[in-house]
Every structure is written in structure tokens, then in C-alpha cells.
Amino acid sequence: KYSLVSSKDRWISRIRVQRGFLKELKTKKLVSPKNYRMLYLKTKGGYFRNKRHIKLYLTEHHLIEKKETEAVVKK
């Protein structure tokens, strides 16, 4: 209730990180355009808690190759 950071500001910072990560995956061609769109809309809807949750979702649903995921995860 009396947080220094408003819930809107927390949302903005979280969504920017997630969208930046999705954009990185798209530019490196690690996800198809169709899967990118699906992930983007899930992100917009608040489905993912954080960037790590997106990585977990990708590996569980086999939307990305394991070797490529390890390279992204190490960052």
C-alpha cells in the first residue's frame, strides 16, 4: 500500500524486461514469428512472472533448442 514503487511502475519495468528478452530471441531467430507473437501476447496478459519464467516455458514446451537456450540462459 505504501510502497516507494507504484504497482504501475513495477509493471512497466517487468514488461520492458520481458519484451526486450522476446525481441532478442526473435532477432537471433531462436523462436518462430508465430511463437513470438503467442509469447508476446502472453506477456502482455501478465502470464509470465519474470524473464526466467519465460525461459522455463520455452524449455517445457520445446519452443527453442536446448543448446540455444543454454547460451541465452548464461547471459
Side-chain angles (χ1 to χ4, degrees):
K1 186 175 177 179
Y2 297 104
S3 174
L4 293 174
V5 182
S6 70
S7 57
K8 182 176 180 176
D9 286 337
R10 279 186 281 132
W11 168 261
I12 290 170
S13 63
R14 194 171 84 206
I15 204 77
R16 282 180 181 166
V17 168
Q18 292 178 9
R19 285 178 176 170
F21 179 63
L22 290 178
K23 189 173 183 180
E24 185 182 330
L25 292 174
K26 187 174 116 177
T27 55
K28 291 182 178 179
K29 300 199 192 279
L30 299 178
V31 272
S32 68
K34 186 177 178 182
N35 285 334
Y36 168 79
R37 198 77 207 130
M38 180 263 301
L39 292 167
Y40 189 93
L41 292 174
K42 282 186 182 296
T43 302
K44 181 180 178 184
Y47 183 85
F48 300 115
R49 296 182 298 272
N50 49 34
K51 187 173 151 181
R52 186 174 180 182
H53 188 201
I54 297 174
K55 292 176 188 176
L56 182 66
Y57 184 89
L58 289 169
T59 53
E60 285 180 350
H61 291 82
H62 308 291
L63 298 175
I64 195 169
E65 291 296 317
K66 187 141 180 80
K67 289 179 184 177
E68 294 164 342
T69 305
E70 290 170 1
V72 173
V73 172
K74 288 181 182 177
K75 274 192 169 180

